[in-house]
Amino acid sequence: MAAPPSPLGLARRVSGAGAATPAAAWSSSCRSRRLRPRLLPSKRWSGVVRMGAAVGGEQEGEDEEVKLAKEMAAARRRWETLIREQKIKTLTPREAGYTFKLTDKVLLDVRPSNERQKAWVKGSTWIPVFDVDTSFDLGGAGKKFTNYVMGGWWSGSSTMTVNKNFVQQVEEKFSKDTDIIVVCQKGLRSLAACEQLYGAGFQNLFWVQGGLEAAEEEDFEREGPQPFKLAGIGGVSEFFGWTDQQRAQAVKEGLGYRLIFTGRLVGALVLVDALFLGAQRIGPLLQELQSR
């Protein structure tokens, strides 16, 4: 009987933003469960599926999607069991914020560096469960290119590599009886991290459901240039303000916020139009020069 996939391996392959078949299957299967779909948001899940093809998947196409769906289902059952049996306790972002401020519990941020550098909780400890792949070998370059072509240019998603020393680094920082609140951007990677830590003997683990994207600014004391909700977006969609997070932000910020992205879009259209007109004029000139 094959061994179940490791949570970090699954998180890498499905980690870090259109909806793929496994994402739809996940949302449908957990809709009636106590753990709502916020556990694994469908849009984030689809971006992670694309990342899996670039990071760890040797198979491609439908077979890989079927395999991924099975692994997701197995991980979901394990995580639900851990939460149902209170081996991992659940906190909302607001509860986590109050708990972190008023008690001696530590807050462990397991997000990759590209999200952490945009916004982080003041006083939190950062140990990524996986991080941006910075390798420059031929294989790494191929994965980065595949990830970019398969949607990275739009969503800003990066290829990721598992932090194989994650548990060891946490053990070096905290004792096994430390109360640890584990958080990521959307809740998937932190839950995978909790499973790893629980398996290593950590008993007092608290998982932040929905991650920092579900938090309001007043829930935590933030440091960094971006709101928590925008730390996980990137690419062309972020530049033009076409992400769901930015649309929600625009409702709060008002017209001025919308005008920033409207100006970017108008500027891009003007630039494209100028390049097109320039090409039309340069073409005849080049032909004339060649005829001489």
Side-chain angles (χ1 to χ4, degrees):
M1 182 177 180
S6 69
L8 290 188
L10 177 61
R12 179 186 66 176
R13 296 175 57 193
V14 273
S15 73
T21 301
W26 172 267
S27 297
S28 175
S29 64
C30 69
R31 190 170 291 119
S32 61
R33 299 295 186 97
R34 183 172 64 87
L35 292 178
R36 305 306 299 168
R38 284 180 60 194
L39 172 61
L40 299 177
S42 60
K43 290 191 176 180
R44 179 66 170 183
W45 192 261
S46 64
V48 171
V49 169
R50 290 195 300 272
M51 184 183 297
V55 175
E58 295 181 358
Q59 298 180 354
E60 298 180 357
E62 186 177 14
D63 290 343
E64 177 64 18
E65 290 190 355
V66 171
K67 183 179 180 181
L68 184 58
K70 291 179 179 178
E71 291 179 359
M72 287 193 297
R76 174 176 58 82
R77 289 192 294 270
R78 295 197 309 271
W79 294 340
E80 285 183 342
T81 299
L82 289 171
I83 292 174
R84 184 174 61 250
E85 296 177 355
Q86 292 291 295
K87 294 175 179 177
I88 297 173
K89 301 170 183 65
T90 302
L91 296 174
T92 66
R94 178 159 297 183
E95 291 170 340
Y98 280 125
T99 302
F100 181 55
K101 292 174 186 176
L102 302 177
T103 70
D104 60 354
K105 292 179 175 61
V106 301
L107 184 67
L108 178 62
D109 185 346
V110 301
R111 296 175 300 162
S113 56
N114 61 336
E115 295 177 359
R116 169 81 179 186
Q117 66 190 8
K118 294 179 181 179
W120 62 92
V121 178
K122 184 177 181 179
S124 62
T125 300
W126 178 57
I127 303 177
V129 70
F130 64 93
D131 207 350
V132 177
D133 184 2
T134 57
S135 63
F136 292 99
D137 54 42
L138 186 60
K143 293 173 184 177
K144 290 180 176 66
F145 176 77
T146 303
N147 175 74
Y148 182 83
V149 170
M150 295 183 70
W153 64 275
W154 175 257
S155 67
S157 63
S158 303
T159 55
M160 297 286 164
T161 181
V162 170
N163 179 7
K164 297 179 180 179
N165 299 318
F166 170 71
V167 172
Q168 178 184 343
Q169 290 171 354
V170 176
E171 289 174 335
E172 292 172 354
K173 200 83 174 177
F174 306 111
S175 62
K176 296 290 180 68
D177 60 353
T178 303
D179 292 339
I180 304 178
I181 303 170
V182 187
V183 68
C184 66
Q185 187 64 25
K186 285 180 174 286
L188 169 63
R189 293 163 295 186
S190 55
L191 193 49
C194 282
E195 184 181 15
Q196 287 284 299
L197 294 174
Y198 180 81
F202 287 88
Q203 298 296 320
N204 303 316
L205 298 170
F206 300 83
W207 168 61
V208 182
Q209 186 175 19
L212 290 176
E213 187 168 304
E216 300 299 331
E217 286 296 303
E218 61 268 20
D219 293 341
F220 296 98
E221 187 174 355
R222 175 177 60 83
E223 293 184 323
Q226 294 277 6
F228 289 125
K229 292 182 182 296
L230 304 185
I233 61 177
V236 174
S237 59
E238 179 189 21
F239 182 80
F240 288 120
W242 288 339
T243 65
D244 292 340
Q245 295 90 334
Q246 288 168 301
R247 292 190 185 101
Q249 190 76 9
V251 173
K252 298 179 181 179
E253 299 290 340
L255 181 61
Y257 186 83
R258 294 187 180 94
L259 288 176
I260 294 174
F261 300 103
T262 302
R264 290 180 181 180
L265 179 60
V266 171
L269 292 175
V270 169
L271 178 60
V272 170
D273 190 48
L275 292 173
F276 179 73
L277 292 175
Q280 284 185 319
R281 293 179 180 180
I282 291 175
L285 291 176
L286 292 176
Q287 290 180 351
E288 183 177 347
L289 290 174
Q290 289 177 348
S291 64
R292 291 179 182 177

